[in-house]
């Protein structure tokens, strides 16, 4: 039982018996008698970063809902420590996927032409990529985003060893923190063909 949380406060916890799993579940059993609960972001950090390797494939899947007041602001969905992996909803509502290699050179820069806003309600976002085949797919609620603007997609390794700190809905800038709901988050270094 913990109390006294403040806005943007980070608390760290160590898993007593760490192991690798495909899915992780956060079970909240009580809320100090309050009817509301807000989790701004959740980060899972691997103690031994050597098991994460740079690669050309991956998949991100999450359910997300934006608060109505956030539609004109950029909001982070997924970001690594030095923004080598960055998936965000831009201020214009379009989804941007940006990947960089180990030297910081952009190897993927893709933006949707359709928007992702609070009027969409709860939506499923699915992003899958295979750099070796110059392929990136973005889905919204099971429908592929066919109208995307591709600035760069090249056959290079994505820097998955970027510290590694992966932030779901979080960022180093409080102005870009996710505002809304996030659930059923999945990230893998495997390409899943949508």
């Amino acid at each position: 039982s913990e109390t006294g949380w403040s806005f943007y406060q980070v608390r760290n916890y160590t898993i007593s018996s760490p192991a690798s799993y495909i899915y992780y579940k956060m079970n909240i059993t009580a809320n100090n008698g309050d009817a509301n609960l807000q989790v701004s972001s959740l980060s899972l950090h691997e103690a031994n970063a050597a098991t994460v390797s740079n690669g050309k494939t991956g998949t991100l899947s999450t359910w997300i809902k934006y608060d109505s007041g956030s539609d004109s602001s950029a909001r982070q969905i997924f970001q690594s420590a030095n923004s080598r992996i960055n998936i965000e909803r831009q201020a214009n509502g379009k989804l941007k996927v940006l990947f960089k290699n180990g030297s910081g050179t952009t190897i993927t820069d893709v933006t949707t032409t359709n928007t992702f806003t609070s009027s969409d309600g709860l939506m499923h976002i699915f992003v899958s990529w295979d750099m070796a085949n110059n392929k990136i797919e973005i889905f919204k609620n099971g429908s592929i985003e066919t109208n995307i603007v591709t600035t760069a997609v090249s056959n290079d390794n994505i820097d998955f060893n970027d510290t590694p700190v992966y932030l779901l809905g979080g960022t180093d800038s409080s102005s870009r923190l996710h505002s809304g709901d996030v659930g059923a988050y999945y990230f893998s270094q495997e390409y899943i063909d949508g």
Side-chain angles (χ1 to χ4, degrees):
S1 175
E2 295 204 24
T3 60
W5 289 79
S6 61
F7 204 52
Y8 298 123
Q9 181 181 5
V10 175
R11 292 199 182 177
N12 297 308
Y13 303 93
T14 302
I15 298 173
S16 59
S17 300
S20 295
Y21 300 99
I22 294 174
Y23 300 100
Y24 292 87
K25 178 182 176 181
M26 182 169 65
N27 189 14
I28 299 170
T29 59
N31 193 19
N32 288 321
D34 197 336
N36 300 309
L37 172 71
Q38 180 180 6
V39 177
S40 176
S41 66
L42 174 67
S43 299
L44 297 177
H45 305 270
E46 188 170 354
N48 181 6
T51 60
V52 177
S53 60
N54 293 341
K56 298 180 181 188
T57 60
T59 298
L60 171 79
S61 173
T62 188
W63 285 90
I64 201 160
K65 179 182 177 187
Y66 293 104
D67 288 343
S68 59
S70 71
D71 281 341
S72 61
S73 303
R75 298 295 181 197
Q76 231 28 71
I77 295 174
F78 186 73
Q79 178 186 14
S80 63
N82 296 308
S83 297
R84 300 281 169 87
I85 302 170
N86 191 21
I87 301 174
E88 74 173 11
R89 198 266 327 256
Q90 298 179 305
N92 61 9
K94 298 176 181 179
L95 194 72
K96 181 179 185 74
V97 178
L98 179 72
F99 299 139
K100 297 179 181 180
N101 63 17
S103 63
T105 303
T106 298
I107 59 173
T108 300
D109 188 348
V110 175
T111 306
T112 64
T113 55
N114 294 326
T115 58
F116 294 69
T117 65
S118 61
S119 63
D120 292 314
L122 185 64
M123 64 187 126
H124 181 237
I125 296 174
F126 181 90
V127 181
S128 197
W129 57 91
D130 180 353
M131 299 296 94
N133 292 302
N134 293 325
K135 190 171 186 179
I136 185 163
E137 296 177 318
I138 302 171
F139 291 82
K140 175 181 171 183
N141 294 330
S143 297
I144 192 164
E145 293 291 308
T146 55
N147 297 316
I148 59 174
V149 177
T150 304
T151 305
V153 175
S154 61
N155 184 6
D156 199 350
N157 284 327
I158 298 167
D159 185 7
F160 286 113
N161 286 315
D162 181 9
T163 301
V165 176
Y166 302 114
L167 303 170
L168 173 63
T171 176
D172 52 6
S173 166
S174 61
S175 65
R176 290 175 44 207
L177 285 172
H178 176 70
S179 178
D181 301 318
V182 179
Y185 168 78
Y186 173 82
F187 173 72
S188 170
Q189 284 189 266
E190 296 179 34
Y191 171 74
I192 300 174
D193 191 356

